[in-house]
Amino acid sequence: MLGLAFGSVPRVFVWTDELDRSHGSGEPSFTIDTVRRLREVVRPPTPVRLLIGADQAIAYDRWKDSAELERLAEPAVALRPPHSGVDALLGAGLDAGRWGPRVLKTPLVDAASSDVRSGQHTDLPPGVRALIEAEGLYR
């Protein structure tokens, strides 16, 4: 779905290595392992940003090797309910100097899989909507 949604966006690449490595293994998959692998295979070295939701920013320091991960791929934070504003996110205990500049300045999209199931969320990219309908996803 990400490939369908972002395939034509310049400078965006959807990489499925983490899914590919963990498929069928039953082993946990950690973001730090994926970013380390990305650093091995991408030449020349390219700046990497890690897009995470606000809920994950709050839990970030509990991630495996979070300090190294932050050094290798700077987090960019997408707001999402219940943290729908920078103040709400920072009010959850995050350091304003560290996390405030990382919050993306984008409109909040209030969407849920239940909206997609009911047909209420209609601004999905056409390829994504077609895949959802063809595969019977979110039913």
mmCIF file of all heavy atoms in Angstrom, residues 48-98:
data_model
loop_
_atom_site.group_PDB
_atom_site.id
_atom_site.type_symbol
_atom_site.label_atom_id
_atom_site.label_comp_id
_atom_site.label_asym_id
_atom_site.label_seq_id
_atom_site.Cartn_x
_atom_site.Cartn_y
_atom_site.Cartn_z
ATOM 1 N N VAL A 48 18.760 9.710 6.391
ATOM 2 C CA VAL A 48 17.556 8.916 6.569
ATOM 3 C C VAL A 48 16.740 9.518 7.700
ATOM 4 O O VAL A 48 17.281 9.891 8.732
ATOM 5 C CB VAL A 48 17.909 7.447 6.904
ATOM 6 C CG1 VAL A 48 16.668 6.640 7.222
ATOM 7 C CG2 VAL A 48 18.695 6.817 5.768
ATOM 8 N N ARG A 49 15.441 9.624 7.490
ATOM 9 C CA ARG A 49 14.512 10.042 8.545
ATOM 10 C C ARG A 49 13.598 8.863 8.838
ATOM 11 O O ARG A 49 13.233 8.102 7.946
ATOM 12 C CB ARG A 49 13.654 11.233 8.091
ATOM 13 C CG ARG A 49 14.411 12.500 7.748
ATOM 14 C CD ARG A 49 15.044 13.201 8.925
ATOM 15 N NE ARG A 49 14.167 13.574 10.006
ATOM 16 C CZ ARG A 49 13.557 14.746 10.133
ATOM 17 N NH1 ARG A 49 13.695 15.665 9.208
ATOM 18 N NH2 ARG A 49 12.796 15.000 11.166
ATOM 19 N N LEU A 50 13.239 8.725 10.092
ATOM 20 C CA LEU A 50 12.363 7.652 10.534
ATOM 21 C C LEU A 50 11.028 8.271 10.926
ATOM 22 O O LEU A 50 10.954 9.022 11.887
ATOM 23 C CB LEU A 50 12.985 6.925 11.730
ATOM 24 C CG LEU A 50 12.163 5.816 12.361
ATOM 25 C CD1 LEU A 50 11.982 4.670 11.373
ATOM 26 C CD2 LEU A 50 12.826 5.340 13.640
ATOM 27 N N LEU A 51 9.996 7.979 10.160
ATOM 28 C CA LEU A 51 8.667 8.511 10.443
ATOM 29 C C LEU A 51 7.993 7.652 11.495
ATOM 30 O O LEU A 51 7.829 6.447 11.315
ATOM 31 C CB LEU A 51 7.820 8.540 9.165
ATOM 32 C CG LEU A 51 6.388 9.034 9.334
ATOM 33 C CD1 LEU A 51 6.358 10.476 9.826
ATOM 34 C CD2 LEU A 51 5.652 8.911 8.008
ATOM 35 N N ILE A 52 7.623 8.281 12.621
ATOM 36 C CA ILE A 52 6.937 7.579 13.693
ATOM 37 C C ILE A 52 5.726 8.385 14.127
ATOM 38 O O ILE A 52 5.687 9.599 13.969
ATOM 39 C CB ILE A 52 7.858 7.305 14.903
ATOM 40 C CG1 ILE A 52 8.383 8.606 15.510
ATOM 41 C CG2 ILE A 52 9.006 6.391 14.513
ATOM 42 C CD1 ILE A 52 9.203 8.409 16.778
ATOM 43 N N GLY A 53 4.755 7.707 14.664
ATOM 44 C CA GLY A 53 3.587 8.373 15.211
ATOM 45 C C GLY A 53 3.891 8.951 16.583
ATOM 46 O O GLY A 53 4.845 8.551 17.249
ATOM 47 N N ALA A 54 3.072 9.909 17.002
ATOM 48 C CA ALA A 54 3.267 10.562 18.286
ATOM 49 C C ALA A 54 3.284 9.553 19.429
ATOM 50 O O ALA A 54 4.069 9.688 20.376
ATOM 51 C CB ALA A 54 2.169 11.602 18.509
ATOM 52 N N ASP A 55 2.451 8.539 19.345
ATOM 53 C CA ASP A 55 2.424 7.524 20.404
ATOM 54 C C ASP A 55 3.755 6.803 20.518
ATOM 55 O O ASP A 55 4.206 6.452 21.610
ATOM 56 C CB ASP A 55 1.288 6.525 20.159
ATOM 57 C CG ASP A 55 1.367 5.861 18.795
ATOM 58 O OD1 ASP A 55 1.825 6.503 17.822
ATOM 59 O OD2 ASP A 55 0.961 4.695 18.678
ATOM 60 N N GLN A 56 4.440 6.609 19.399
ATOM 61 C CA GLN A 56 5.745 5.950 19.429
ATOM 62 C C GLN A 56 6.848 6.894 19.887
ATOM 63 O O GLN A 56 7.836 6.463 20.486
ATOM 64 C CB GLN A 56 6.066 5.347 18.071
ATOM 65 C CG GLN A 56 5.175 4.177 17.715
ATOM 66 C CD GLN A 56 5.243 3.088 18.758
ATOM 67 O OE1 GLN A 56 6.312 2.649 19.158
ATOM 68 N NE2 GLN A 56 4.081 2.650 19.232
ATOM 69 N N ALA A 57 6.706 8.190 19.615
ATOM 70 C CA ALA A 57 7.680 9.158 20.121
ATOM 71 C C ALA A 57 7.689 9.133 21.643
ATOM 72 O O ALA A 57 8.746 9.202 22.277
ATOM 73 C CB ALA A 57 7.360 10.550 19.601
ATOM 74 N N ILE A 58 6.518 9.009 22.237
ATOM 75 C CA ILE A 58 6.404 8.966 23.695
ATOM 76 C C ILE A 58 7.115 7.737 24.256
ATOM 77 O O ILE A 58 7.726 7.791 25.324
ATOM 78 C CB ILE A 58 4.918 9.001 24.108
ATOM 79 C CG1 ILE A 58 4.339 10.370 23.755
ATOM 80 C CG2 ILE A 58 4.739 8.697 25.583
ATOM 81 C CD1 ILE A 58 2.832 10.442 23.822
ATOM 82 N N ALA A 59 7.096 6.636 23.526
ATOM 83 C CA ALA A 59 7.721 5.386 23.981
ATOM 84 C C ALA A 59 9.128 5.189 23.424
ATOM 85 O O ALA A 59 9.761 4.170 23.687
ATOM 86 C CB ALA A 59 6.835 4.212 23.560
ATOM 87 N N TYR A 60 9.636 6.143 22.676
ATOM 88 C CA TYR A 60 10.858 5.968 21.898
ATOM 89 C C TYR A 60 12.064 5.532 22.723
ATOM 90 O O TYR A 60 12.845 4.688 22.298
ATOM 91 C CB TYR A 60 11.181 7.263 21.145
ATOM 92 C CG TYR A 60 12.302 7.128 20.161
ATOM 93 C CD1 TYR A 60 12.079 6.588 18.904
ATOM 94 C CD2 TYR A 60 13.596 7.517 20.487
ATOM 95 C CE1 TYR A 60 13.107 6.455 17.994
ATOM 96 C CE2 TYR A 60 14.631 7.375 19.587
ATOM 97 C CZ TYR A 60 14.378 6.848 18.340
ATOM 98 O OH TYR A 60 15.395 6.706 17.436
ATOM 99 N N ASP A 61 12.242 6.086 23.896
ATOM 100 C CA ASP A 61 13.419 5.743 24.697
ATOM 101 C C ASP A 61 13.407 4.299 25.185
ATOM 102 O O ASP A 61 14.421 3.803 25.672
ATOM 103 C CB ASP A 61 13.564 6.711 25.873
ATOM 104 C CG ASP A 61 14.020 8.093 25.409
ATOM 105 O OD1 ASP A 61 14.663 8.193 24.342
ATOM 106 O OD2 ASP A 61 13.719 9.083 26.106
ATOM 107 N N ARG A 62 12.284 3.611 25.026
ATOM 108 C CA ARG A 62 12.210 2.188 25.382
ATOM 109 C C ARG A 62 12.497 1.284 24.183
ATOM 110 O O ARG A 62 12.525 0.064 24.318
ATOM 111 C CB ARG A 62 10.834 1.874 25.980
ATOM 112 C CG ARG A 62 10.618 2.565 27.320
ATOM 113 C CD ARG A 62 9.380 2.071 28.037
ATOM 114 N NE ARG A 62 8.158 2.141 27.261
ATOM 115 C CZ ARG A 62 7.281 3.146 27.311
ATOM 116 N NH1 ARG A 62 7.508 4.179 28.088
ATOM 117 N NH2 ARG A 62 6.192 3.118 26.580
ATOM 118 N N TRP A 63 12.671 1.871 22.995
ATOM 119 C CA TRP A 63 12.984 1.072 21.815
ATOM 120 C C TRP A 63 14.384 0.488 21.965
ATOM 121 O O TRP A 63 15.263 1.065 22.615
ATOM 122 C CB TRP A 63 12.948 1.930 20.565
ATOM 123 C CG TRP A 63 11.594 2.346 20.095
ATOM 124 C CD1 TRP A 63 10.462 2.482 20.839
ATOM 125 C CD2 TRP A 63 11.247 2.703 18.768
ATOM 126 N NE1 TRP A 63 9.426 2.913 20.042
ATOM 127 C CE2 TRP A 63 9.886 3.049 18.769
ATOM 128 C CE3 TRP A 63 11.945 2.769 17.578
ATOM 129 C CZ2 TRP A 63 9.213 3.456 17.618
ATOM 130 C CZ3 TRP A 63 11.289 3.173 16.433
ATOM 131 C CH2 TRP A 63 9.927 3.497 16.466
ATOM 132 N N LYS A 64 14.614 -0.638 21.285
ATOM 133 C CA LYS A 64 15.933 -1.265 21.289
ATOM 134 C C LYS A 64 16.960 -0.306 20.669
ATOM 135 O O LYS A 64 16.760 0.192 19.560
ATOM 136 C CB LYS A 64 15.901 -2.576 20.501
ATOM 137 C CG LYS A 64 17.229 -3.297 20.497
ATOM 138 C CD LYS A 64 17.177 -4.577 19.681
ATOM 139 C CE LYS A 64 18.542 -5.210 19.654
ATOM 140 N NZ LYS A 64 18.600 -6.348 18.753
ATOM 141 N N ASP A 65 18.039 -0.055 21.388
ATOM 142 C CA ASP A 65 19.154 0.786 20.920
ATOM 143 C C ASP A 65 18.677 2.141 20.400
ATOM 144 O O ASP A 65 19.114 2.622 19.352
ATOM 145 C CB ASP A 65 19.975 0.057 19.857
ATOM 146 C CG ASP A 65 20.602 -1.233 20.359
ATOM 147 O OD1 ASP A 65 20.824 -1.345 21.582
ATOM 148 O OD2 ASP A 65 20.852 -2.129 19.543
ATOM 149 N N SER A 66 17.788 2.781 21.152
ATOM 150 C CA SER A 66 17.166 4.033 20.691
ATOM 151 C C SER A 66 18.169 5.153 20.446
ATOM 152 O O SER A 66 17.994 5.936 19.511
ATOM 153 C CB SER A 66 16.084 4.494 21.669
ATOM 154 O OG SER A 66 16.644 4.762 22.944
ATOM 155 N N ALA A 67 19.230 5.254 21.239
ATOM 156 C CA ALA A 67 20.207 6.324 21.033
ATOM 157 C C ALA A 67 20.931 6.147 19.701
ATOM 158 O O ALA A 67 21.113 7.110 18.943
ATOM 159 C CB ALA A 67 21.200 6.365 22.191
ATOM 160 N N GLU A 68 21.318 4.917 19.395
ATOM 161 C CA GLU A 68 21.977 4.665 18.107
ATOM 162 C C GLU A 68 20.994 4.874 16.961
ATOM 163 O O GLU A 68 21.343 5.444 15.926
ATOM 164 C CB GLU A 68 22.541 3.247 18.045
ATOM 165 C CG GLU A 68 23.245 2.982 16.715
ATOM 166 C CD GLU A 68 23.763 1.564 16.562
ATOM 167 O OE1 GLU A 68 23.546 0.723 17.458
ATOM 168 O OE2 GLU A 68 24.364 1.287 15.514
ATOM 169 N N LEU A 69 19.770 4.427 17.139
ATOM 170 C CA LEU A 69 18.756 4.609 16.110
ATOM 171 C C LEU A 69 18.556 6.089 15.806
ATOM 172 O O LEU A 69 18.501 6.498 14.647
ATOM 173 C CB LEU A 69 17.434 3.963 16.552
ATOM 174 C CG LEU A 69 16.270 4.073 15.595
ATOM 175 C CD1 LEU A 69 16.601 3.461 14.233
ATOM 176 C CD2 LEU A 69 15.049 3.395 16.201
ATOM 177 N N GLU A 70 18.492 6.897 16.837
ATOM 178 C CA GLU A 70 18.305 8.343 16.671
ATOM 179 C C GLU A 70 19.478 8.958 15.909
ATOM 180 O O GLU A 70 19.307 9.874 15.114
ATOM 181 C CB GLU A 70 18.156 8.984 18.044
ATOM 182 C CG GLU A 70 17.738 10.426 18.013
ATOM 183 C CD GLU A 70 17.397 10.940 19.397
ATOM 184 O OE1 GLU A 70 17.268 10.147 20.356
ATOM 185 O OE2 GLU A 70 17.238 12.161 19.510
ATOM 186 N N ARG A 71 20.676 8.437 16.142
ATOM 187 C CA ARG A 71 21.864 8.929 15.442
ATOM 188 C C ARG A 71 21.860 8.520 13.966
ATOM 189 O O ARG A 71 22.238 9.288 13.088
ATOM 190 C CB ARG A 71 23.117 8.387 16.132
ATOM 191 C CG ARG A 71 24.427 8.890 15.542
ATOM 192 C CD ARG A 71 25.617 8.328 16.295
ATOM 193 N NE ARG A 71 25.702 6.878 16.292
ATOM 194 C CZ ARG A 71 26.121 6.142 15.256
ATOM 195 N NH1 ARG A 71 26.453 6.719 14.122
ATOM 196 N NH2 ARG A 71 26.178 4.826 15.353
ATOM 197 N N LEU A 72 21.383 7.315 13.676
ATOM 198 C CA LEU A 72 21.402 6.793 12.307
ATOM 199 C C LEU A 72 20.241 7.280 11.447
ATOM 200 O O LEU A 72 20.369 7.369 10.221
ATOM 201 C CB LEU A 72 21.391 5.261 12.332
ATOM 202 C CG LEU A 72 22.622 4.589 12.918
ATOM 203 C CD1 LEU A 72 22.408 3.085 12.993
ATOM 204 C CD2 LEU A 72 23.864 4.935 12.107
ATOM 205 N N ALA A 73 19.105 7.544 12.083
ATOM 206 C CA ALA A 73 17.904 7.957 11.340
ATOM 207 C C ALA A 73 17.078 8.875 12.243
ATOM 208 O O ALA A 73 16.339 8.403 13.103
ATOM 209 C CB ALA A 73 17.085 6.744 10.929
ATOM 210 N N GLU A 74 17.226 10.158 12.033
ATOM 211 C CA GLU A 74 16.532 11.107 12.905
ATOM 212 C C GLU A 74 15.019 10.922 12.811
ATOM 213 O O GLU A 74 14.456 10.901 11.719
ATOM 214 C CB GLU A 74 16.883 12.539 12.537
ATOM 215 C CG GLU A 74 16.213 13.536 13.458
ATOM 216 C CD GLU A 74 16.491 14.972 13.112
ATOM 217 O OE1 GLU A 74 17.342 15.243 12.244
ATOM 218 O OE2 GLU A 74 15.834 15.834 13.702
ATOM 219 N N PRO A 75 14.355 10.784 13.961
ATOM 220 C CA PRO A 75 12.898 10.624 13.932
ATOM 221 C C PRO A 75 12.185 11.885 13.458
ATOM 222 O O PRO A 75 12.593 13.001 13.765
ATOM 223 C CB PRO A 75 12.544 10.329 15.396
ATOM 224 C CG PRO A 75 13.821 9.941 16.056
ATOM 225 C CD PRO A 75 14.906 10.639 15.305
ATOM 226 N N ALA A 76 11.135 11.675 12.700
ATOM 227 C CA ALA A 76 10.184 12.721 12.330
ATOM 228 C C ALA A 76 8.837 12.246 12.874
ATOM 229 O O ALA A 76 8.453 11.100 12.656
ATOM 230 C CB ALA A 76 10.129 12.897 10.821
ATOM 231 N N VAL A 77 8.149 13.113 13.601
ATOM 232 C CA VAL A 77 6.961 12.698 14.330
ATOM 233 C C VAL A 77 5.687 13.188 13.656
ATOM 234 O O VAL A 77 5.523 14.390 13.416
ATOM 235 C CB VAL A 77 7.009 13.215 15.785
ATOM 236 C CG1 VAL A 77 5.784 12.767 16.558
ATOM 237 C CG2 VAL A 77 8.284 12.748 16.473
ATOM 238 N N ALA A 78 4.802 12.250 13.360
ATOM 239 C CA ALA A 78 3.482 12.574 12.821
ATOM 240 C C ALA A 78 2.495 12.596 13.980
ATOM 241 O O ALA A 78 2.394 11.628 14.735
ATOM 242 C CB ALA A 78 3.064 11.538 11.785
ATOM 243 N N LEU A 79 1.806 13.712 14.138
ATOM 244 C CA LEU A 79 0.810 13.809 15.195
ATOM 245 C C LEU A 79 -0.375 12.930 14.863
ATOM 246 O O LEU A 79 -0.728 12.758 13.692
ATOM 247 C CB LEU A 79 0.358 15.260 15.350
ATOM 248 C CG LEU A 79 1.438 16.222 15.824
ATOM 249 C CD1 LEU A 79 0.920 17.652 15.784
ATOM 250 C CD2 LEU A 79 1.924 15.857 17.213
ATOM 251 N N ARG A 80 -0.993 12.365 15.904
ATOM 252 C CA ARG A 80 -2.188 11.569 15.741
ATOM 253 C C ARG A 80 -2.899 11.522 17.085
ATOM 254 O O ARG A 80 -2.262 11.621 18.124
ATOM 255 C CB ARG A 80 -1.868 10.177 15.215
ATOM 256 C CG ARG A 80 -0.822 9.428 16.016
ATOM 257 C CD ARG A 80 -0.301 8.230 15.319
ATOM 258 N NE ARG A 80 -1.246 7.130 15.411
ATOM 259 C CZ ARG A 80 -0.981 5.897 15.068
ATOM 260 N NH1 ARG A 80 0.204 5.606 14.581
ATOM 261 N NH2 ARG A 80 -1.863 4.948 15.176
ATOM 262 N N PRO A 81 -4.208 11.410 17.036
ATOM 263 C CA PRO A 81 -4.966 11.421 18.285
ATOM 264 C C PRO A 81 -4.474 10.319 19.224
ATOM 265 O O PRO A 81 -4.103 9.241 18.755
ATOM 266 C CB PRO A 81 -6.401 11.144 17.842
ATOM 267 C CG PRO A 81 -6.436 11.589 16.416
ATOM 268 C CD PRO A 81 -5.065 11.311 15.870
ATOM 269 N N PRO A 82 -4.415 10.583 20.509
ATOM 270 C CA PRO A 82 -4.916 11.770 21.204
ATOM 271 C C PRO A 82 -3.915 12.907 21.268
ATOM 272 O O PRO A 82 -4.180 13.937 21.873
ATOM 273 C CB PRO A 82 -5.194 11.235 22.613
ATOM 274 C CG PRO A 82 -4.126 10.212 22.824
ATOM 275 C CD PRO A 82 -3.939 9.564 21.464
ATOM 276 N N HIS A 83 -2.765 12.756 20.647
ATOM 277 C CA HIS A 83 -1.744 13.810 20.646
ATOM 278 C C HIS A 83 -1.830 14.581 19.341
ATOM 279 O O HIS A 83 -1.014 14.413 18.452
ATOM 280 C CB HIS A 83 -0.358 13.188 20.841
ATOM 281 C CG HIS A 83 -0.300 12.265 22.012
ATOM 282 N ND1 HIS A 83 -0.350 12.707 23.303
ATOM 283 C CD2 HIS A 83 -0.257 10.928 22.078
ATOM 284 C CE1 HIS A 83 -0.322 11.685 24.126
ATOM 285 N NE2 HIS A 83 -0.270 10.581 23.400
ATOM 286 N N SER A 84 -2.849 15.417 19.228
ATOM 287 C CA SER A 84 -3.127 16.076 17.958
ATOM 288 C C SER A 84 -2.520 17.463 17.850
ATOM 289 O O SER A 84 -2.784 18.171 16.893
ATOM 290 C CB SER A 84 -4.640 16.143 17.723
ATOM 291 O OG SER A 84 -5.268 16.753 18.833
ATOM 292 N N GLY A 85 -1.695 17.831 18.784
ATOM 293 C CA GLY A 85 -0.985 19.099 18.719
ATOM 294 C C GLY A 85 0.355 18.962 19.412
ATOM 295 O O GLY A 85 0.553 18.064 20.234
ATOM 296 N N VAL A 86 1.285 19.842 19.069
ATOM 297 C CA VAL A 86 2.613 19.782 19.662
ATOM 298 C C VAL A 86 2.517 19.899 21.178
ATOM 299 O O VAL A 86 3.192 19.181 21.914
ATOM 300 C CB VAL A 86 3.518 20.890 19.079
ATOM 301 C CG1 VAL A 86 4.872 20.903 19.775
ATOM 302 C CG2 VAL A 86 3.704 20.692 17.582
ATOM 303 N N ASP A 87 1.644 20.791 21.677
ATOM 304 C CA ASP A 87 1.508 20.960 23.126
ATOM 305 C C ASP A 87 1.059 19.667 23.800
ATOM 306 O O ASP A 87 1.552 19.316 24.863
ATOM 307 C CB ASP A 87 0.530 22.089 23.457
ATOM 308 C CG ASP A 87 1.077 23.444 23.054
ATOM 309 O OD1 ASP A 87 2.314 23.571 22.927
ATOM 310 O OD2 ASP A 87 0.277 24.375 22.862
ATOM 311 N N ALA A 88 0.133 18.952 23.172
ATOM 312 C CA ALA A 88 -0.338 17.688 23.744
ATOM 313 C C ALA A 88 0.780 16.659 23.771
ATOM 314 O O ALA A 88 0.926 15.905 24.733
ATOM 315 C CB ALA A 88 -1.527 17.152 22.962
ATOM 316 N N LEU A 89 1.573 16.641 22.726
ATOM 317 C CA LEU A 89 2.690 15.705 22.661
ATOM 318 C C LEU A 89 3.721 16.035 23.729
ATOM 319 O O LEU A 89 4.162 15.164 24.469
ATOM 320 C CB LEU A 89 3.325 15.753 21.265
ATOM 321 C CG LEU A 89 4.493 14.833 20.996
ATOM 322 C CD1 LEU A 89 4.070 13.381 21.123
ATOM 323 C CD2 LEU A 89 5.057 15.091 19.619
ATOM 324 N N LEU A 90 4.061 17.298 23.829
ATOM 325 C CA LEU A 90 5.050 17.699 24.830
ATOM 326 C C LEU A 90 4.490 17.549 26.235
ATOM 327 O O LEU A 90 5.219 17.248 27.174
ATOM 328 C CB LEU A 90 5.517 19.127 24.557
ATOM 329 C CG LEU A 90 6.192 19.328 23.191
ATOM 330 C CD1 LEU A 90 6.583 20.777 22.997
ATOM 331 C CD2 LEU A 90 7.382 18.400 23.016
ATOM 332 N N GLY A 91 3.173 17.732 26.369
ATOM 333 C CA GLY A 91 2.521 17.539 27.657
ATOM 334 C C GLY A 91 2.559 16.096 28.115
ATOM 335 O O GLY A 91 2.340 15.798 29.291
ATOM 336 N N ALA A 92 2.832 15.180 27.207
ATOM 337 C CA ALA A 92 2.928 13.759 27.549
ATOM 338 C C ALA A 92 4.306 13.421 28.107
ATOM 339 O O ALA A 92 4.613 12.262 28.338
ATOM 340 C CB ALA A 92 2.620 12.906 26.324
ATOM 341 N N GLY A 93 5.134 14.436 28.286
ATOM 342 C CA GLY A 93 6.424 14.224 28.925
ATOM 343 C C GLY A 93 7.629 14.303 28.022
ATOM 344 O O GLY A 93 8.748 14.081 28.471
ATOM 345 N N LEU A 94 7.455 14.628 26.764
ATOM 346 C CA LEU A 94 8.610 14.716 25.869
ATOM 347 C C LEU A 94 9.305 16.059 26.013
ATOM 348 O O LEU A 94 8.670 17.080 26.233
ATOM 349 C CB LEU A 94 8.175 14.510 24.418
ATOM 350 C CG LEU A 94 7.671 13.119 24.084
ATOM 351 C CD1 LEU A 94 7.327 13.031 22.607
ATOM 352 C CD2 LEU A 94 8.677 12.057 24.442
ATOM 353 N N ASP A 95 10.606 16.043 25.848
ATOM 354 C CA ASP A 95 11.417 17.244 25.929
ATOM 355 C C ASP A 95 11.172 18.125 24.698
ATOM 356 O O ASP A 95 11.349 17.674 23.562
ATOM 357 C CB ASP A 95 12.890 16.835 26.014
ATOM 358 C CG ASP A 95 13.826 18.006 25.990
ATOM 359 O OD1 ASP A 95 14.059 18.593 27.060
ATOM 360 O OD2 ASP A 95 14.311 18.332 24.884
ATOM 361 N N ALA A 96 10.779 19.369 24.936
ATOM 362 C CA ALA A 96 10.428 20.280 23.836
ATOM 363 C C ALA A 96 11.610 20.543 22.913
ATOM 364 O O ALA A 96 11.453 20.591 21.695
ATOM 365 C CB ALA A 96 9.895 21.597 24.395
ATOM 366 N N GLY A 97 12.803 20.699 23.460
ATOM 367 C CA GLY A 97 13.971 20.983 22.635
ATOM 368 C C GLY A 97 14.361 19.817 21.754
ATOM 369 O O GLY A 97 14.819 20.000 20.630
ATOM 370 N N ARG A 98 14.163 18.627 22.247
ATOM 371 C CA ARG A 98 14.528 17.438 21.488
ATOM 372 C C ARG A 98 13.453 17.044 20.487
ATOM 373 O O ARG A 98 13.751 16.674 19.348
ATOM 374 C CB ARG A 98 14.764 16.277 22.462
ATOM 375 C CG ARG A 98 15.098 14.964 21.799
ATOM 376 C CD ARG A 98 15.350 13.897 22.842
ATOM 377 N NE ARG A 98 15.544 12.583 22.261
ATOM 378 C CZ ARG A 98 15.360 11.448 22.910
ATOM 379 N NH1 ARG A 98 14.996 11.465 24.179
ATOM 380 N NH2 ARG A 98 15.547 10.300 22.312
#
